[in-house]
Amino acid sequence: MAGVLKKTTGLVGLAVCKSPHKTTEPDVKQSEDQLQGVQIKEVILQVENELSLARKMMQWKPWEMFMKEPPANQWKWPM
């Protein structure tokens, strides 16, 4: 199936990636078969989203808000 170009992913809003295998498997079909039905473009989109979130987390530093002592009554459940 090498040489066959995919025209659509079949997923709304998800375009076919023109070079999804720059450093991995050169045969897109074989890669998708190894992923058991998951399309390469879905994997690329997921990785891009995770990378974007990781960069945002570095800016937001959500772990810093827990570096202070919690208020004395924070963990008390109203009875």
Side-chain angles (χ1 to χ4, degrees):
M1 190 143 242
V4 175
L5 296 177
K6 194 184 227 186
K7 294 183 190 256
T8 179
T9 62
L11 302 171
V12 175
L14 197 58
V16 173
C17 187
K18 291 183 169 82
S19 58
H21 46 72
K22 289 182 180 176
T23 60
T24 58
E25 174 63 52
D27 183 2
V28 175
K29 176 71 173 124
Q30 185 171 343
S31 294
E32 289 178 347
D33 289 346
Q34 291 172 353
L35 294 169
Q36 299 175 351
V38 176
Q39 295 187 32
I40 293 294
K41 182 60 181 181
E42 291 176 279
V43 174
I44 292 169
L45 183 61
Q46 180 67 33
V47 170
E48 287 172 347
N49 288 340
E50 289 179 15
L51 182 58
S52 173
L53 177 60
R55 288 178 174 145
K56 289 176 184 175
M57 296 292 275
M58 290 299 293
Q59 292 173 346
W60 297 337
K61 299 180 183 178
W63 56 87
E64 287 183 356
M65 67 181 194
F66 296 113
M67 294 180 150
K68 301 179 209 167
E69 279 296 316
N73 62 352
Q74 178 175 344
W75 303 112
K76 295 197 182 209
W77 185 259
M79 298 251 179

